[in-house]
Amino acid sequence: MKKTKCVIFGLTSFAQMLRHLEEKFYDVEVVAYTVDGKYKQEDVFDGLPVVAFEDLEKNYPNNEYSVLIGLGYNHMNNIRKQKFEEVKNKGYEIESFVHPQVIRNSTIEMGEGNIIFEGAILGYEVKMGNGNIIWNGVNISHESIIGDFNHFSAGTTLGGKTTVKNNCFFGMSTI
């Protein structure tokens, strides 16, 4: 099986952590980081090249590389949403990261670009859109519907049949 080659969008400790987790748990080789050219202040980050997003296709063509979006909840998740759309418009597949210690109680319908950390519980018949970040210990109960580009901080709990629309932020231990 061929190893997936991936570029991470972002130059933060969050992006660096995602690299470590992707490479540790999955057959993924992170080969570079990217940010918009106006934010590129260095040529190397975390031992890997940094390429301006505007030049991404020249160095890392979309038929050979995927992108993992390593951006957080700034501006109520709108920046992550904007970059998701820009990456899709360039023709890249957007990777999701689901920690192997996530508990899934059934088949979950899930879009692209979701990041789900260890100890999260996804109940029976949960449906999830694109670009969500779900931190440690989050419990999303049965038949809940999660929209796009939401942020669930550690310890958040949702009751069954809850609907969360788009661009929501749940602080630590929200119930």
Side-chain angles (χ1 to χ4, degrees), residues 2 12 14 19 26 31 38 42 50 55 57 59 67 88 92 94 96 142 144 153 155 167 170-171:
K2 188 175 178 187
T12 64
F14 181 64
R19 174 193 178 189
Y26 294 103
V31 296
K38 65 184 177 183
E42 55 196 329
V50 176
D55 299 328
E57 304 96 322
N59 300 293
V67 175
K88 288 301 285 181
Y92 287 92
I94 297 180
S96 289
H142 64 93
S144 291
S153 298
N167 298 82
F170 294 83

Side-chain angles (χ1 to χ4, degrees), residues 121-123 126 128 134 138-142 144 146 152 156 158:
I121 300 171
L122 304 176
V126 168
M128 185 180 309
I134 299 174
V138 170
N139 184 344
I140 299 176
S141 294
H142 64 93
S144 291
I146 309 302
F152 296 84
T156 297
L158 296 182

